[in-house]
Amino acid sequence: ESGVELEVDPERLRRAVINVVNNAVQAMEDHDGDYKRLRIKSRKRDGRFEIVVKDNGPGMSEESLTRIFEPLYSTKGFGVGLGVPIVKGIMVKHHGGVEYRSVPGKGTTVVLWLPA
């Protein structure tokens, strides 16, 4: 247990977490690897409460990482490309943020954070 108590809009925060988890699962489905792994954890770090979602899917290119927050940008063949900007908006409204780190061929880590 992190011992952190936060005032959040539970429905919006749930929507942000589900969106990130769904994106990770979809990315792994599109990847050829035999062993698919999704890790979700929470932690208190550097004055922040973080929800970390890590997958071992195909990862994203540097170009995709620089464009991921643009509305209508998507690397998928479906959807409208609003998921990541919506997640960012939800986190910013909670005075937090979202960070993406990715290595092509290795996977992606998403950190949703809120001030602790």
Side-chain angles (χ1 to χ4, degrees):
E1 182 172 313
S2 66
V4 176
E5 289 188 26
L6 304 167
E7 286 192 34
V8 299
D9 179 331
E11 180 56 31
R12 286 182 186 241
L13 187 59
R14 181 188 71 78
R15 189 176 314 146
V17 172
I18 286 174
N19 185 297
V20 171
V21 169
N22 282 341
N23 284 346
V25 169
Q26 289 168 0
M28 288 188 302
E29 287 173 351
D30 294 340
H31 192 48
D32 292 333
D34 293 331
Y35 180 68
K36 299 176 190 314
R37 188 162 112 195
L38 177 66
R39 294 178 57 201
I40 304 169
K41 66 180 177 178
S42 63
R43 64 187 179 202
K44 185 177 177 185
R45 184 181 196 171
D46 299 328
R48 304 186 331 181
F49 173 75
E50 299 178 341
I51 300 167
V52 182
V53 179
K54 184 174 185 175
D55 69 63
N56 67 343
M60 291 184 281
S61 69
E62 191 66 37
E63 178 191 359
S64 291
L65 278 175
T66 61
R67 299 188 62 199
I68 197 162
F69 295 109
E70 293 177 18
L72 307 181
Y73 178 77
S74 179
T75 59
K76 300 183 224 177
F78 58 91
V80 294
L82 293 175
V84 173
I86 287 172
V87 168
K88 181 179 180 181
I90 289 169
M91 299 311 295
V92 168
K93 284 181 183 173
H94 284 87
H95 307 289
V98 58
E99 299 165 359
Y100 282 77
R101 292 187 294 277
S102 192
V103 178
K106 301 282 185 185
T108 301
T109 301
V110 182
V111 179
L112 302 169
W113 67 269
L114 300 163

